[in-house]
């Protein structure tokens, strides 16, 4: 069963973020035939599952109550990063669970040590179980990253520009801070981010045309994709503007992550020739 | 949140780790899985393979898969609540003598297995240890159920230990026996296992039974011939074992080995038992094979 999880990896690892995604591009080209399953069918199933999961087909996405409550509460708690030990414990349990679902080599709990707190494995396990029960053990949630390699392949019919995968991922990370990703269909986010990474000048007609190269485009509303496409661009502009002055609201405890994110964001240059330059590497 | 005993009652022990229980008017089968075991002595929390397997099973909804309905925790134990299969369902379906009385029924069950495998593969899920022991059938209604997580083994052994774990080798594909691409079990491996089950249905005995990897490979090559660069490109570079196995063997005529099978059936069987995993038929294509016309 391990293979399922590894095939649904969000392809996020340290190297790909640090190195401008060179290795990742290779990975994504190489991973197409991993499982011998028709990718078309798999993506179709994912999109259908999104709808089942509560993402409605129209633009007002209403997610199943329990997912929304549980996830949002957990995320808010973690982000607020209050001093209380319970929140620290929850953060560690969530991080550990995410690693157990996503990582090829799962780190031991001892690697999640915090400076000022030390939780026993038993205690973390209890919190893990609490989170798992609350989420009804449904850990295989669909994220935009599940669609990226497929969409990039379909939308860029010729060989995709080399850094597009990491660029698209960074666009998603950028928007993640500003909008609630649970309010939008993961497939819509993935398609919009891919399009922004490729071309920032698209009209709604052009978006529709590009989308038609995805076999499941009937399940994806071009209108939604275009809306999110514009949203990403707006957020990106706002962020680059604010980057030069003050970093966006940094709470004391999130300083490390925020500044790391800022560093990432700065690499995301949008000069006109970037899309075509191959192997530019981290810059 | 209700506790285990508030939610379920009338526990009836079936085996050491399995109970029948009730909630309202419905029966369930409950399996106890301990989180703490030898592999988890360092206490790294809930083992990742348990989380992954349960989360996969929670998403599945297929008539031919024993459905996981609920997961309860109590201390270091997990209680997996499965749909209840009544006494009419018998595990280890090939041990059931009725299986061999009606050829049409065998075909029906083979079709249900392949259909389930295709369903799982489309979701990028691999079975990896499909064996007749984990397959239950109701002969009267002709419904087959695969207990994906029924085997305690699944939980006791971490997934990495697959290739070296003890137990039944019979349904392992040549590429797995070669330890070729160990880190990447793939869908053809499952189709091979179904091919072995198909053969076993016809012969009333395991198709291959070698007690060790090498003996099993020898049995496989005796029936299907030693693979060559032509039938399996790249095989010479991965097959260190081949050199140990004596002179290459020619494939046998499957029509003589399986005289009870019609040409469509022989075609399907040979495609499922194709040595080279890349050339082996997919479950999806196997379901559409002419052999199943009329099922």
């Amino acid at each position: 069963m391990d293979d399922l999880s590894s095939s649904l990896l969000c392809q996020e690892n340290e190297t790909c973020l640090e190195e401008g995604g060179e290795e990742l591009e290779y990975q994504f080209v190489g991973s197409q035939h991993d499982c011998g399953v028709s990718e078309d069918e798999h993506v179709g199933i994912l999109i259908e599952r999104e709808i089942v999961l509560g993402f409605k087909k129209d633009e007002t996405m209403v997610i199943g109550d329990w997912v929304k409550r549980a996830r949002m509460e957990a995320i808010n708690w973690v982000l607020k990063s209050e001093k209380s030990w319970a929140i620290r414990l929850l953060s560690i349990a969530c991080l550990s669970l995410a690693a157990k679902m996503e990582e090829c080599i799962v780190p031991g709990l001892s690697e999640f040590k915090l400076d000022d707190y030390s939780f026993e494995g038993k205690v973390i396990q209890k919190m893990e179980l609490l989170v798992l029960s609350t989420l009804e053990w449904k850990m295989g949630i669909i994220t935009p990253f599940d669609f990226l390699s497929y969409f990039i392949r379909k939308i860029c019919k010729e060989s995709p520009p080399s850094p597009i995968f990491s660029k698209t991922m960074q666009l998603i990370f950028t928007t993640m801070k500003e909008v609630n990703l649970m309010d939008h269909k993961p497939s819509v986010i993935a398609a919009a981010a891919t399009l922004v990474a490729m071309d920032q000048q698209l009209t709604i007609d052009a978006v529709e045309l590009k989308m038609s190269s995805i076999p499941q485009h009937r399940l994806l509303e071009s209108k939604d994709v275009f809306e999110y496409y514009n949203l990403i661009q707006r957020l990106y502009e706002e962020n680059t503007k604010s980057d030069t002055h003050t970093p966006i609201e940094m709470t004391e405890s999130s300083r490390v992550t925020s500044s790391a994110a800022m560093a990432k964001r700065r690499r995301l240059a949008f000069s006109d020739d970037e899309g075509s330059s191959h192997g530019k590497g981290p810059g | 949140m209700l506790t285990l005993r508030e939610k379920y009652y009338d526990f009836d022990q079936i085996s050491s780790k399995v109970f029948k229980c009730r909630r309202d008017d419905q029966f369930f089968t409950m399996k106890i899985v301990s989180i703490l075991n030898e592999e988890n002595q360092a206490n790294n929390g809930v083992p990742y393979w348990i989380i992954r397997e349960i989360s996969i099973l929670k998403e599945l909804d297929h008539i031919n898969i024993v459905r996981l309905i609920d997961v309860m925790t109590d201390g270091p134990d997990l209680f997996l609540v499965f749909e209840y299969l009544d006494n009419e369902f018998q595990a280890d379906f090939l041990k059931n003598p009725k299986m061999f009385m009606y050829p049409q029924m065998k075909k029906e069950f083979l079709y249900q297995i392949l259909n389930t495998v295709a369903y799982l593969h489309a979701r990028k899920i691999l079975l990896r240890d499909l064996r007749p022991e984990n397959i239950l059938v109701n002969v009267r209604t002709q419904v087959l159920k695969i207990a994906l997580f029924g085997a305690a083994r699944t939980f006791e052994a971490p997934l990495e230990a697959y290739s070296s774990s003890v137990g039944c080798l019979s349904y392992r594909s040549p590429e797995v026996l070669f330890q070729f691409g160990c880190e990447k079990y793939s869908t053809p491996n499952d189709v091979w296992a179904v091919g072995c089950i198909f053969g076993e249905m016809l012969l009333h005995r395991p198709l291959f039974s070698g007690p060790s990897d090498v003996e099993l490979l020898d049995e496989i090559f005796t029936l299907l011939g030693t693979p060559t660069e032509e039938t399996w490109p790249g095989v010479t570079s991965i097959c260190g074992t081949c050199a140990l196995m004596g002179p290459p063997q020619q494939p046998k005529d499957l029509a003589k080995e399986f005289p009870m099978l019609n040409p469509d059936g022989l075609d399907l069987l040979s495609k499922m038992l194709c040595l080279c995993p890349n050339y082996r038929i997919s479950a999806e294509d196997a379901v559409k094979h002419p052999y199943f016309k009329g099922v």
Side-chain angles (χ1 to χ4, degrees):
Chain A
M1 291 299 140
D2 201 21
D3 292 57
L4 169 81
S5 319
S6 54
S7 69
L8 291 181
L9 277 185
C10 72
Q11 312 276 18
E12 171 192 358
N13 60 37
E14 267 177 46
T15 2
C16 74
L17 292 176
E18 299 310 317
E19 303 299 323
E22 290 303 310
E23 288 175 32
L24 190 81
E25 301 300 330
Y26 171 76
Q27 227 184 328
F28 122 72
V29 174
S31 67
Q32 297 172 30
H33 303 294
D34 257 357
C35 213
V37 170
S38 128
E39 196 84 12
D40 295 345
E41 194 183 349
H42 177 65
V43 170
I45 289 168
L46 286 182
I47 296 176
E48 276 164 30
R49 257 184 62 198
E50 286 182 337
I51 297 164
V52 174
L53 272 172
F55 292 101
K56 279 193 183 164
K57 257 183 150 176
D58 57 67
E59 66 265 55
T60 47
M61 307 300 168
V62 182
I63 187 131
D65 229 20
W66 68 268
V67 192
K68 191 157 196 166
R69 253 203 331 268
R71 293 218 164 216
M72 282 321 294
E73 271 173 32
I75 291 166
N76 286 338
W77 281 350
V78 174
L79 287 182
K80 265 193 250 152
S81 189
E82 286 170 21
K83 290 284 184 282
S84 119
W85 64 269
I87 304 308
R88 296 296 182 96
L89 178 58
L90 178 65
S91 323
I92 291 179
C94 289
L95 197 58
S96 159
L97 287 175
K100 282 171 181 172
M101 283 304 290
E102 301 289 336
E103 296 293 328
C104 300
I105 297 160
V106 179
L109 285 184
S110 56
E111 290 179 45
F112 294 111
K113 279 230 164 70
L114 290 173
D115 295 339
D116 42 352
Y117 286 99
S118 169
F119 297 109
E120 265 183 74
K122 256 196 317 207
V123 180
I124 301 175
Q125 175 174 301
K126 239 181 176 164
M127 186 55 98
E128 281 183 340
L129 285 171
L130 197 63
V131 174
L132 287 168
S133 313
T134 310
L135 296 175
E136 295 179 4
W137 290 77
K138 290 179 185 165
M139 301 290 288
I141 217 81
I142 301 166
T143 72
F145 303 104
D146 297 331
F147 299 95
L148 282 195
S149 62
Y150 181 81
F151 281 0
I152 290 172
R153 249 189 353 264
K154 291 289 172 188
I155 294 175
C156 318
K157 277 190 197 101
E158 309 86 49
S159 61
S162 152
I164 195 168
F165 200 103
S166 47
K167 213 154 100 178
T168 312
M169 279 183 24
Q170 282 160 348
L171 284 169
I172 295 172
F173 287 135
T174 308
T175 51
M176 214 160 91
K177 293 204 163 52
E178 319 294 333
V179 295
N180 179 3
L181 288 192
M182 299 300 283
D183 286 341
H184 304 268
K185 281 206 292 194
S187 54
V188 168
I189 296 171
T194 308
L195 291 172
V196 176
M198 273 176 50
D199 187 345
Q200 294 93 57
Q201 314 283 337
L202 297 176
T203 60
I204 185 153
D205 293 332
V207 166
E208 201 161 348
L209 188 70
K210 294 258 182 209
M211 291 300 295
S212 64
S213 51
I214 299 174
Q216 301 82 9
H217 66 96
R218 276 184 197 83
L219 295 165
L220 290 160
E221 290 287 337
S222 300
K223 191 164 62 72
D224 296 347
V225 175
F226 187 62
E227 224 169 75
Y228 206 80
Y229 172 88
N230 288 328
L231 180 68
I232 294 175
Q233 303 229 56
R234 207 187 66 231
L235 288 172
Y236 177 74
E237 271 165 38
E238 282 172 15
N239 272 328
T240 32
K241 258 181 238 157
S242 60
D243 268 11
T244 51
H245 302 292
T246 41
I248 39 162
E249 318 152 25
M250 254 201 273
T251 59
E252 201 180 318
S253 48
S254 65
R255 185 167 288 151
V256 183
T257 40
S258 297
S259 52
M262 305 298 286
K264 263 177 254 155
R265 204 168 297 154
R266 248 175 258 125
R267 280 198 216 112
L268 214 147
F270 268 98
S271 54
D272 290 331
D273 61 339
E274 224 231 22
S276 54
S277 68
H278 185 88
K280 207 172 180 182
Chain B
M1 234 179 276
L2 288 172
T3 64
L4 179 71
R5 273 167 195 83
E6 283 166 346
K7 206 164 169 184
Y8 298 96
Y9 42 89
D10 287 359
F11 286 85
D12 198 355
Q13 189 154 16
I14 296 172
S15 68
S16 69
K17 298 262 179 199
V18 182
F19 291 82
K20 178 182 169 185
C21 63
R22 203 156 73 95
R23 182 179 193 194
D24 304 329
D25 286 334
Q26 251 189 312
F27 289 110
F28 300 96
T29 305
M30 189 177 276
K31 287 194 163 88
I32 305 176
V33 176
S34 179
I35 295 172
L36 292 169
N37 56 23
E38 284 151 36
E39 284 98 29
N40 194 25
Q41 271 176 347
N43 201 344
N44 278 317
V46 186
Y48 75 94
W49 66 88
I50 291 186
I51 302 176
R52 290 182 187 182
E53 293 196 7
I54 293 179
S55 69
I56 287 166
L57 203 50
K58 281 284 273 188
E59 306 284 352
L60 299 180
D61 185 10
H62 192 277
I63 173 120
N64 297 121
I65 296 171
V66 181
R67 206 154 75 84
L68 176 64
I69 288 153
D70 196 4
V71 182
M72 306 286 293
T73 55
D74 188 10
D77 289 324
L78 291 179
F79 298 82
L80 308 187
V81 183
F82 289 92
E83 71 173 298
Y84 177 71
L85 301 179
D86 61 31
N87 295 334
E88 277 198 272
F89 275 95
Q90 289 183 328
D92 208 350
F93 81 121
L94 290 179
K95 295 258 162 67
N96 187 340
K98 281 188 197 143
M99 270 305 299
F100 302 104
M101 283 151 55
Y102 312 100
Q104 193 57 34
M105 187 165 76
K106 286 193 261 188
K107 194 192 266 193
E108 170 67 41
F109 285 143
L110 180 67
Y111 181 78
Q112 291 186 31
I113 296 171
L114 277 170
N115 207 7
T116 316
V117 173
Y119 166 87
L120 293 169
H121 286 180
R123 280 155 186 77
K124 299 211 170 188
I125 299 171
L126 301 175
L127 278 134
R128 286 156 57 115
D129 68 339
L130 185 63
R131 288 176 287 149
E133 292 97 280
N134 300 341
I135 298 176
L136 302 99
V137 294
N138 182 330
V139 173
R140 187 181 56 83
T141 56
Q142 302 213 353
V143 173
L144 172 147
K145 302 256 184 194
I146 301 180
L148 284 185
F149 298 68
R153 201 195 67 85
T154 318
F155 285 111
E156 281 161 8
L159 295 167
E160 283 71 22
Y162 182 73
S163 47
S164 60
S165 69
V166 285
C168 189
L169 293 170
S170 303
Y171 307 92
R172 283 193 199 163
S173 60
E175 67 271 20
V176 169
L177 292 166
F178 280 147
Q179 312 251 312
F180 166 58
C182 267
E183 71 283 9
K184 267 192 189 173
Y185 293 109
S186 202
T187 52
N189 182 47
D190 288 339
V191 175
W192 176 273
V194 183
C196 293
I197 292 173
F198 187 13
E200 189 167 341
M201 281 175 165
L202 300 164
L203 299 174
H204 304 192
R205 60 165 173 82
L207 185 56
F208 308 115
S209 55
S212 74
D213 287 16
V214 176
E215 284 157 293
L216 187 58
L217 275 174
D218 189 45
E219 266 185 71
I220 292 172
F221 296 161
T222 305
L223 180 68
L224 302 161
T226 309
T228 62
E229 273 300 310
E230 208 170 278
T231 56
W232 186 345
V235 73
T236 42
S237 61
I238 57 158
C239 176
T241 332
C242 289
L244 304 169
M245 304 198 49
Q249 308 183 68
Q250 290 301 312
K252 285 189 179 163
D253 181 4
L254 288 183
K256 282 198 185 118
E257 302 296 316
F258 299 94
M260 64 301 262
L261 206 53
N262 64 21
D264 279 339
L266 285 169
D267 183 66
L268 177 63
L269 182 66
S270 66
K271 283 177 172 157
M272 288 167 77
L273 293 178
C274 171
L275 291 173
C276 174
N278 293 341
Y279 298 156
R280 204 171 295 148
I281 192 169
S282 70
E284 191 191 357
D285 288 340
V287 169
K288 294 179 202 145
H289 194 277
Y291 179 62
F292 294 117
K293 217 181 276 169
V295 169

